[in-house]
Amino acid sequence: RSRLVVKFRRTGESSRSEEDAISGEHEIQIEGVRTELEAVELEDGAAVPKEFANPTDDTFMVEDAVEAIGFGKFQWKLSVITGLAWMADAMEMMILSILAPQLHCEWRLPSWQVALLTSVVFVGMMSSSTLWGNISDQYGRKTGLKISVLWTLYYGILSGFAPVYSWILVLRGLVGFGIGGVPQSVTLYAEFLPMKARAKCILLIEVFWAIGTVFEVLLAVLVMPTLGWRWLLILSALPLLLFAVLCFWLPESARYDVLSGNQEKAIATLKRIATENGAPMPLGKLIISRQEDRGKMRDLFTPHFRWTTLLLWFIWFSNAFSYYGLVLLTTEFFQAGDVCSISSRRKEVKAKCSLSCEYLTEEDYTDLLWTTLSEFPGVLVTLWIIDRIGRKKTMALSFFVFSFCSLLLFLCVGRNVLTVLLFIARAFISGGFQAAYVYTPEVYPTATRALGLGTCSGMARVGALITPFIAQVMLESSVYLTLVVYSGCCLLAAVASCFLPIETKGRGLQESSHREWGQEMVGRGSHSPGVTRSNSGSQE
């Protein structure tokens, strides 16, 4: 077994003899790693990189170890597994827009019952997210995640066998209850990410969301015409099944283990990551990081943050309201052919029968696939502009383009133009969602960060809960009023984005003690001052 010795020498120590200088070097010996000796030159006055635990006090924290080990093979595997959970989440969301027209026709449901089917999922999500958070804090991230995934899988498959409307309503509500726990996978994920990697990883997660929505539509194209909606519900649970199997590979969060007094288990987990990444493990004793006070609700309403909180709540509400509204409207528009035929069809329907309906055709599914694919350019455009024009302007631009596209739908456009407009609107609104995800954790200080993001997320759920009644029920009486509601809401959100008091572009996370993982998956490449560039990933 060879040892790795890492030496530091401060530059500008030439006045002393070579022997003296050598005695002033820090030596760290790490067993069990086969590498050559490497010397790292430090600027005068620069701090010894955080990665290398200081041998004088011989202690390090989980966060230090994660920074030292860096981003490697283990994190890539973890990214894919977390991505699977998000993919499953996206599929369960996307299925709502496909299921609605189908059940509307098959079971002759009035539109308010169809809308309720979507809302009940969000009610389930809202009522359970705090519960899953508490389970994860009490029994471990992995335990909470496993229970929520198995729960969702079980009820997801079961809803494929629902005999009548009331059954499917209850079962989809229970599926929503389980989906409320999926974000715990990001909690677990973030606790194993070094600071530098967090920004790129939020993008990775977003990409998996987009893959999930596209995969769901592809599945619908293959399954719906032949096997029907029941099989679609059952097959849509596949990523969850895969995730449930891979869940056993997941380690428990080392941070959670340390906090619950299980040091040995935490060290074993960190050693396993170090081995997989082929990186050295810090020496010394693992200690608990300083616990910051958890933020309280009133902290979000201090004079400094009051406006930010209220505006952000509205922005998140509008984001989810418009995003899910557009997803539901897309299938409604395609069913009718275009906007104008919805208006004229409504008049005919009144004369004939209030429950006339068309099933989605293959052409509808193809166009639905095109509009769903727009999430990829949406993510890329946001990534490109967010650091150029700033977070606030990115959100404002996204909302503005969305409301402009909604207003263009007033014109009697043909099928192709309709698809293009929906494509652009969806790309920008999903980009806007991502910008909000970046901005919110950056604007709040460490203590209130998780709470700030949690309340914003709650407001988004409220928006998603209301939207089916606009996109499906109000649409029955007036298409134009529906479009005015969406574009008006987004215009207000664009104004709200401009009025946000703080721009977070190019500044570090607020009071960014990086003891706190709760940067909630975002760092967006903005390093805190004083953190030197890490050499853990690349060896000169």
Side-chain angles (χ1 to χ4, degrees), residues 8 25-29 48 52-59 283-284:
F8 299 107
E25 290 171 355
H26 303 281
E27 272 198 11
I28 303 165
Q29 299 195 329
V48 171
F52 303 99
N54 187 341
T56 51
D57 51 3
D58 267 335
T59 59
L283 267 194

Side-chain angles (χ1 to χ4, degrees), residues 289-300:
S289 58
R290 183 170 57 84
Q291 276 305 93
E292 309 239 353
D293 293 336
R294 282 308 262 303
K296 297 187 177 62
M297 198 66 177
R298 64 166 180 267
D299 298 338
L300 297 179

Side-chain angles (χ1 to χ4, degrees), residues 325-340:
L326 188 70
V327 170
L328 296 169
L329 277 175
T330 305
T331 46
E332 296 281 339
F333 284 159
F334 287 164
Q335 235 182 329
D338 63 45
V339 182
C340 298

Side-chain angles (χ1 to χ4, degrees), residues 155-464:
Y155 287 109
I157 291 173
L158 212 59
S159 57
F161 297 99
V164 288
Y165 175 75
S166 52
W167 271 87
I168 200 160
L169 194 67
V170 171
L171 290 169
R172 291 319 284 171
L174 288 167
V175 166
F177 193 86
I179 291 175
V182 172
Q184 293 305 323
S185 63
V186 178
T187 308
L188 181 65
Y189 182 48
E191 293 186 1
F192 286 119
L193 288 178
M195 275 194 74
K196 285 206 312 277
R198 286 202 186 114
K200 292 186 188 70
C201 292
I202 185 176
L203 178 72
L204 249 179
I205 293 290
E206 288 288 335
V207 168
F208 270 104
W209 176 276
I211 292 171
T213 53
V214 170
F215 185 66
E216 184 60 51
V217 178
L218 281 173
L219 199 61
V221 172
L222 299 171
V223 174
M224 289 295 272
T226 48
L227 299 168
W229 63 269
R230 294 180 186 278
W231 276 100
L232 184 67
L233 280 175
I234 294 164
L235 293 173
S236 296
L238 279 179
L240 278 172
L241 186 63
L242 194 56
F243 183 81
V245 172
L246 292 173
C247 229
F248 293 96
W249 172 86
L250 280 179
E252 181 51 88
S253 158
R255 196 167 183 274
Y256 168 79
D257 280 334
V258 171
L259 287 177
S260 53
N262 207 336
Q263 247 87 348
E264 295 78 24
K265 201 172 158 199
I267 288 176
T269 303
L270 292 169
K271 275 186 178 159
R272 169 185 155 186
I273 303 171
T275 313
E276 273 197 52
N277 285 3
M281 168 93 177
L283 267 194
K285 182 172 176 292
L286 184 59
I287 56 165
I288 297 179
S289 58
R290 183 170 57 84
Q291 276 305 93
E292 309 239 353
D293 293 336
R294 282 308 262 303
K296 297 187 177 62
M297 198 66 177
R298 64 166 180 267
D299 298 338
L300 297 179
F301 290 97
T302 55
H304 186 58
F305 285 113
R306 189 179 301 138
W307 267 111
T308 302
T309 301
L310 292 171
L311 289 171
L312 271 179
W313 280 5
F314 180 66
I315 287 167
W316 277 74
F317 171 88
S318 307
N319 241 325
F321 179 72
S322 312
Y323 175 81
Y324 290 113
L326 188 70
V327 170
L328 296 169
L329 277 175
T330 305
T331 46
E332 296 281 339
F333 284 159
F334 287 164
Q335 235 182 329
D338 63 45
V339 182
C340 298
S341 49
I342 291 190
S343 327
S344 54
R345 196 185 65 179
R346 297 286 175 245
K347 295 187 186 79
E348 292 165 27
V349 165
K350 292 281 181 292
K352 279 194 302 183
C353 151
S354 64
L355 289 172
S356 78
C357 78
E358 290 95 23
Y359 288 91
L360 289 177
T361 62
E362 204 159 315
E363 189 197 356
D364 296 336
Y365 284 122
T366 318
D367 288 344
L368 189 59
L369 183 62
W370 279 115
T371 55
T372 308
L373 282 168
S374 66
E375 300 216 359
F376 291 104
V379 168
L380 295 172
V381 167
T382 307
L383 186 75
W384 191 72
I385 63 171
I386 199 161
D387 283 324
R388 283 174 173 77
I389 67 170
R391 279 67 164 140
K392 285 160 56 174
K393 286 181 187 159
T394 304
M395 289 191 279
L397 181 73
S398 301
F399 284 127
F400 182 74
V401 173
F402 179 88
S403 64
F404 183 63
C405 288
S406 310
L407 289 176
L408 284 181
L409 291 174
F410 268 66
L411 309 171
C412 277
V413 293
R415 178 67 175 240
N416 293 343
V417 183
L418 174 72
T419 309
V420 171
L421 285 175
L422 291 171
F423 182 96
I424 297 169
R426 179 133 173 206
F428 276 90
I429 199 70
S430 61
F433 228 136
Q434 193 189 337
Y437 244 127
V438 172
Y439 178 83
T440 309
E442 283 180 341
V443 82
Y444 286 114
T446 306
T448 52
R449 191 168 293 132
L451 184 68
L453 198 62
T455 52
C456 284
S457 183
M459 288 307 289
R461 300 263 164 86
V462 174

